[in-house]
Amino acid sequence: MNALPIDLDLAWESLPALFDGLMVTVFLTVLPLIIGLALAFPICFARMSSRRALALPAETFVVFFRGAPLLILLYLVYYGLGQIEALRNGPFWIVFGSPFGCAIVALSLNHAAYMVEVLRGSLLAVPHGIVEASEALGITRRNIFLWVRMPLALRYGLKAYQNEVVSFVKGTAIVSVVTITDLMAVANSIFEQTYDPFTPILCAAAFYWAFVNLIRVGFTFWGGWLNRHNAEDVAMPGPGRLALARLAGRAKVMP
Amino acid sequence: MIARPPASDLAGDLAPAPVAPAILLAGVVKRYGAHRALAGVDLQVQRGEKVVICGPSGSGKSTLIRCINALERHDGGRIVVNGIELTGDEGTVQDIRQEVGMVFQHFNLFPHLTALENCMLAPQLNRGLSKAQAEKLAMAHLERVHLADQARKYPARLSGGQQQRVAIARALCMEPRILLFDEPTSALDPEMVKEVLGVIEELAASGVTMVCVTHEMGFARRVADRCVFMDRGEIVEEGGAQDFFDAPKSERLRHFLAQILR
């Protein structure tokens, strides 16, 4: 008998199906990350506005969608919105009529709510004196945002952003409850077919782990490149490429 | 002597109206709540003039020069800079900021950009210079503050004195006719004060209009055409450096000088 709780043959046979599931998980990660981030910017600007009429709705959005458990949010979008007849007959049914559409909406709203706060915290961390210096140079507000505030905010907020992305990836596992066959759902169905609880679940865990760590490594490189100005002994030929290699754990970096 | 950068018209010799002062402040008031940081300040700075402002902490001297380029908005009175009246209108604010460079106590360099890029940013964004043009301009001004060899370093790798000189070069790259210094040496270690003041003195010789908040009395004596003493939001006394330090007229200035000279 096999001493391992894993059936290696089953694991090998399951790989293609699990890989397909992983692709669904990747898709359900990347798209909401993009949409959520795009939503977060205007909501964050509204939240930071001195005008109450803008700040209050934005704050309400954050409080609601950050407070609502993702699972309940998903149920509400998937089962709840379907009760509205006008929506069922309207053009948006293309989105809300499919589990994928609903999952992307729910995940995007959740991610946006978290990102508003990440973004706001990062922007508030930019030293006021640096913004003043830009103003004194006669740089327009728009350009100050693009070339000074945002690049610095990105550096201050990168760790928080990484945390949010990593926990978000794992959060996508709940989409299986609305019939989407993501990585978790594939593992679950293999379990139901074989009555082997360990092999598919541990394999799925390994896939999640690999995906999350790929993201982590990506962030490490990104952070190393962004923070090259703080690197020890910055070698200057080219924009800090050597420093980048050094920071990113002495890995070889191709130009 | 230092070489003048080719594209510079720092001397302010392109005066639109020769009689108009570079800076005119008339009855300027600034309030923070009930507190009056500026209680009706009148001050004129002629083209090419070097004015040093001193006064105790909280006297309103920083607030005064920050009003000149609208980092603080004044609540009353008039401010006219190079013939442009500062109103609430964003356009006039931008116009004035193109004419006025500022150097801060805490340098406020862009930490994510090299010394060179710090100097290139505003000319590229505001004046639409190409990268090559901006780089040439920035190098010329970095040379002027004796930092050409540090151009590709990030601020974190530079000493305080070097950072402040980069900040001066960055302001010069906008080729302003007026330079404002807000305690440029107060945050520096003592051994670095001299290199920064040296650069400012060299600039002073170039004919640019300068307003400098500082307590460096030796510097004031060497450079200032006029010294202004502020206390509690108003100008108490002003005069040539010689009289100002050696024969102060007001009791408040005498008291202040006794405090700082010990």
Side-chain angles (χ1 to χ4, degrees):
Chain A
M1 279 301 286
N2 195 344
L4 285 169
I6 295 176
D7 178 344
L8 289 176
D9 289 338
L10 177 59
W12 181 250
E13 278 169 36
S14 310
L15 280 187
L18 287 168
F19 189 77
D20 289 346
L22 178 67
M23 287 303 105
V24 173
T25 293
V26 170
F27 176 74
L28 282 175
T29 301
V30 172
L31 206 57
L33 282 183
I34 294 168
I35 298 170
L37 189 62
L39 283 174
F41 273 93
I43 298 169
C44 178
F45 296 151
R47 173 101 167 77
M48 292 175 82
S49 167
S50 53
R51 268 182 279 173
R52 227 36 219 137
L54 287 174
L56 196 65
E59 206 176 326
T60 311
F61 174 90
V62 171
V63 167
F64 181 79
F65 285 105
R66 217 157 65 124
L70 189 50
L71 184 60
I72 291 176
L73 188 59
L74 189 58
Y75 274 142
L76 281 177
V77 173
Y78 186 63
Y79 296 111
L81 293 182
Q83 306 298 317
I84 304 168
E85 199 179 332
L87 187 70
R88 274 206 309 278
N89 301 326
F92 292 114
W93 194 238
I94 294 173
V95 174
F96 294 105
S98 91
F100 266 100
C102 290
I104 284 165
V105 167
L107 290 168
S108 299
L109 289 172
N110 173 269
H111 183 58
Y114 276 92
M115 281 312 294
V116 168
E117 293 301 284
V118 169
L119 205 54
R120 192 170 74 101
S122 313
L123 285 169
L124 289 176
V126 176
H128 187 59
I130 293 176
V131 176
E132 264 186 355
S134 325
E135 287 171 352
L137 285 164
I139 302 174
T140 59
R141 282 182 61 176
R142 193 186 120 94
N143 276 333
I144 293 173
F145 181 80
L146 288 175
W147 296 95
V148 180
R149 288 176 69 206
M150 204 51 224
L152 289 174
L154 179 60
R155 286 158 173 84
Y156 301 134
L158 198 66
K159 287 284 177 218
Y161 184 40
Q162 177 181 354
N163 266 344
E164 164 55 17
V165 169
V166 164
S167 72
F168 181 83
V169 168
K170 294 182 268 192
T172 61
I174 63 152
V175 298
S176 53
V177 302
V178 292
T179 74
I180 295 173
T181 46
D182 73 327
L183 183 52
M184 188 63 215
V186 171
N188 218 11
S189 74
I190 294 170
F191 162 45
E192 280 162 6
Q193 285 160 30
T194 61
Y195 297 109
D196 177 349
F198 293 112
T199 305
I201 300 297
L202 286 176
C203 287
F207 273 88
Y208 276 115
W209 184 88
F211 184 30
V212 163
N213 274 278
L214 197 67
I215 290 170
R216 187 184 61 81
V217 169
F219 268 99
T220 305
F221 271 94
W222 193 12
W225 182 76
L226 285 176
N227 287 308
R228 61 197 182 281
H229 59 281
N230 285 329
E232 286 297 318
D233 177 33
V234 179
M236 276 337 292
R241 199 165 276 141
L242 291 172
L244 164 62
R246 200 168 290 133
L247 266 170
R250 288 147 205 87
K252 291 183 194 73
V253 183
M254 293 300 124
Chain B
M1 268 314 285
I2 40 163
R4 253 183 76 163
S8 172
D9 60 359
L10 266 171
D13 43 13
L14 301 173
V19 281
I23 302 169
L24 172 91
L25 306 178
V28 172
V29 174
K30 172 72 189 176
R31 292 187 200 89
Y32 295 110
H35 174 65
R36 291 217 300 181
L38 296 177
V41 173
D42 299 302
L43 181 69
Q44 283 199 23
V45 181
Q46 302 307 320
R47 278 169 209 288
E49 201 181 7
K50 326 291 174 232
V51 173
V52 161
I53 303 177
C54 61
S57 158
S59 59
K61 51 198 192 307
S62 281
T63 307
L64 181 70
I65 69 165
R66 289 163 58 83
C67 279
I68 294 171
N69 65 350
L71 287 182
E72 309 278 358
R73 303 300 166 96
H74 60 295
D75 299 309
R78 288 179 68 208
I79 298 178
V80 184
V81 180
N82 258 351
I84 306 167
E85 172 123 25
L86 182 58
T87 61
D89 175 45
E90 276 304 310
T92 68
V93 171
Q94 284 307 103
D95 287 347
I96 284 174
R97 285 175 179 169
Q98 307 295 327
E99 312 263 334
V100 179
M102 190 166 198
V103 175
F104 298 84
Q105 182 178 0
H106 295 288
F107 331 137
N108 295 340
L109 292 178
F110 307 124
H112 60 304
L113 302 177
T114 62
L116 186 65
E117 290 164 341
N118 261 278
C119 295
M120 288 164 63
L121 188 66
Q124 277 184 286
L125 293 176
N126 298 356
R127 294 162 53 184
L129 294 195
S130 71
K131 205 175 162 206
Q133 288 171 315
E135 192 167 326
K136 200 171 153 218
L137 177 73
M139 276 313 286
H141 286 292
L142 282 171
E143 232 155 74
R144 200 170 175 187
V145 299
H146 318 298
L147 280 175
D149 54 331
Q150 310 287 329
R152 306 212 175 257
K153 285 195 180 168
Y154 287 97
R157 297 278 133 236
L158 299 173
S159 73
Q162 289 171 329
Q163 288 190 49
Q164 191 61 298
R165 285 187 284 148
V166 172
I168 293 170
R170 177 176 70 174
L172 291 177
C173 281
M174 283 303 293
E175 311 195 317
R177 294 158 189 226
I178 300 166
L179 280 172
L180 307 175
F181 295 86
D182 189 2
E183 304 203 32
T185 58
S186 300
L188 294 173
D189 290 330
E191 74 270 23
M192 292 168 185
V193 170
K194 208 173 149 195
E195 66 185 60
V196 171
L197 291 181
V199 163
I200 300 176
E201 286 183 48
E202 287 168 9
L203 282 178
S206 76
V208 68
T209 308
M210 269 190 195
V211 180
C212 183
V213 172
T214 184
H215 292 150
E216 295 291 338
M217 294 308 147
F219 167 81
R221 280 175 192 271
R222 288 193 299 279
V223 172
D225 299 315
R226 190 149 52 102
C227 295
V228 173
F229 173 64
M230 286 187 73
D231 192 17
R232 287 174 230 153
E234 54 189 24
I235 292 176
V236 177
E237 182 168 346
E238 56 183 299
Q242 195 78 37
D243 295 342
F244 187 84
F245 291 112
D246 299 337
K249 289 191 275 292
S250 64
E251 182 52 42
R252 279 199 266 177
L253 176 55
R254 266 198 295 277
H255 179 72
F256 175 72
L257 290 174
Q259 290 291 318
I260 61 166
L261 298 174
R262 277 186 292 272

